């Protein structure tokens, strides 16, 4: 992996660094954005992730991967963590971890599911649930770089209360020139919404995505089943598989 959204290098060997919590933002009832200060952070590209490792007093260790939620701000990085009730790591990060407490971080990780701010091709982002996190990093990097590539986001989410970054997405859809945002509600739609809740389908991507002849870059992120379905739909619409990049996670991702 070479290059970054901010010009910092990302090719340094992966090593565990100690990060400390400096800010916490509540996104939904179950998701929080955690801002860490990580001395020596080498920079990263939107779409990359980090490994976070906790060590118990008895030496037991547990590690999970979390997507980076935006461009680095010096040595500060942001992770948005969805709490998994029976998880080993996310409940600690969302409920116990206090400002100033340390945690081990390794990264950035990943070289395929990335977007580079010098790209000019149109982009289609397809998110399922907390799969919005690395895609929001791309939206934030686009704005920070002054990139004018046309972006479309299709966000599949259970209910309006489950939308991560809800206010920011409303603001970006209004203010970020060249960005369109569409939602697919799977359990409950907002009042006045036309149509019924449903899982993402061919019509959603055909209506809100890009025509395949424009050769957009497509990024799909979410639970495994969602990602496989959305990627198959895109291929069915005529998109080239080599231009569809996917990132998936399991129950404890």
């Amino acid at each position: 992996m070479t290059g970054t959204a901010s010009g910092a290098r990302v090719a340094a060997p992966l090593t565990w660094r100690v990060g400390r919590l400096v800010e916490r933002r509540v996104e939904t009832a179950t998701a929080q954005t955690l801002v860490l200060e990580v001395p020596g952070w080498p920079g990263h590209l939107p779409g990359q992730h980090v490994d976070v490792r906790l060590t118990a007093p008895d030496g037991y260790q547990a590690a999970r991967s979390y997507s980076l939620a935006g461009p680095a701000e010096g040595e500060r990085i942001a992770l948005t963590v969805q709490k998994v009730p029976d998880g080993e790591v996310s409940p600690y990060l969302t409920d116990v971890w206090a400002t100033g407490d340390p945690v081990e971080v390794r990264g950035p990780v990943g070289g395929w599911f990335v977007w580079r701010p010098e790209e000019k091709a149109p982009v289609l982002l397809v998110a399922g649930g907390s799969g919005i996190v690395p895609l929001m990093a791309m939206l934030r990097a686009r704005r920070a770089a002054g990139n004018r590539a046309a972006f479309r986001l299709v966000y599949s989410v259970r209910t309006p209360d489950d939308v991560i970054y809800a206010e920011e997405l409303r603001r970006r859809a209004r203010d970020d020139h060249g960005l369109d945002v569409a939602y697919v509600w799977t359990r409950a739609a907002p009042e006045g919404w036309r149509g019924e809740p449903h899982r993402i389908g061919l019509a959603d991507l055909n209506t809100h995505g890009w025509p395949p002849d424009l050769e957009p870059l497509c990024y799909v992120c979410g639970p495994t089943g969602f990602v496989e379905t959305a990627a198959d739909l895109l291929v069915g619409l005529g998109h080239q598989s080599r231009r569809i990049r996917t990132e998936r996670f399991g129950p404890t991702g």
Side-chain angles (χ1 to χ4, degrees), residues 66-177:
Y66 293 102
S67 294
L68 291 149
E73 298 181 4
E75 295 184 328
R76 291 193 174 190
I77 63 172
L79 313 176
T80 300
V81 176
Q82 183 91 47
K83 180 180 177 180
V84 179
D86 58 351
E88 287 186 301
V89 175
S90 63
Y92 174 84
L93 296 179
T94 58
D95 298 343
V96 179
W97 200 25
T99 300
D101 285 353
V103 71
E104 290 183 285
V105 178
R106 181 173 64 184
V109 181
W112 171 245
F113 193 81
V114 298
W115 178 77
R116 291 175 169 79
E118 62 269 21
E119 290 279 2
K120 301 302 181 185
V123 174
L124 173 60
L125 308 175
V126 184
S130 60
I132 186 65
V133 178
L135 307 186
M136 177 57 86
M138 297 177 190
L139 294 180
R140 289 169 170 168
R142 172 186 181 269
R143 178 63 179 265
N147 185 292
R148 301 302 293 271
F151 269 54
R152 290 183 177 179
L153 167 65
V154 181
Y155 187 5
S156 175
V157 64
R158 292 177 178 178
T159 75
D161 289 340
D162 295 309
V163 175
I164 300 174
Y165 316 124
E167 181 54 40
E168 182 176 353
L169 284 172
R170 280 192 289 269
R171 186 176 70 251
R172 290 189 179 278
R174 182 192 66 209
D175 298 339
D176 286 13
H177 179 75

Side-chain angles (χ1 to χ4, degrees), residues 47-49 67 109 113 134 220-223 227 245-249:
Q48 290 186 297
H49 62 274
S67 294
V109 181
F113 193 81
V220 185
C221 186
V227 169
R245 303 181 181 186
T246 61
E247 183 91 325
R248 64 198 72 197
F249 52 82

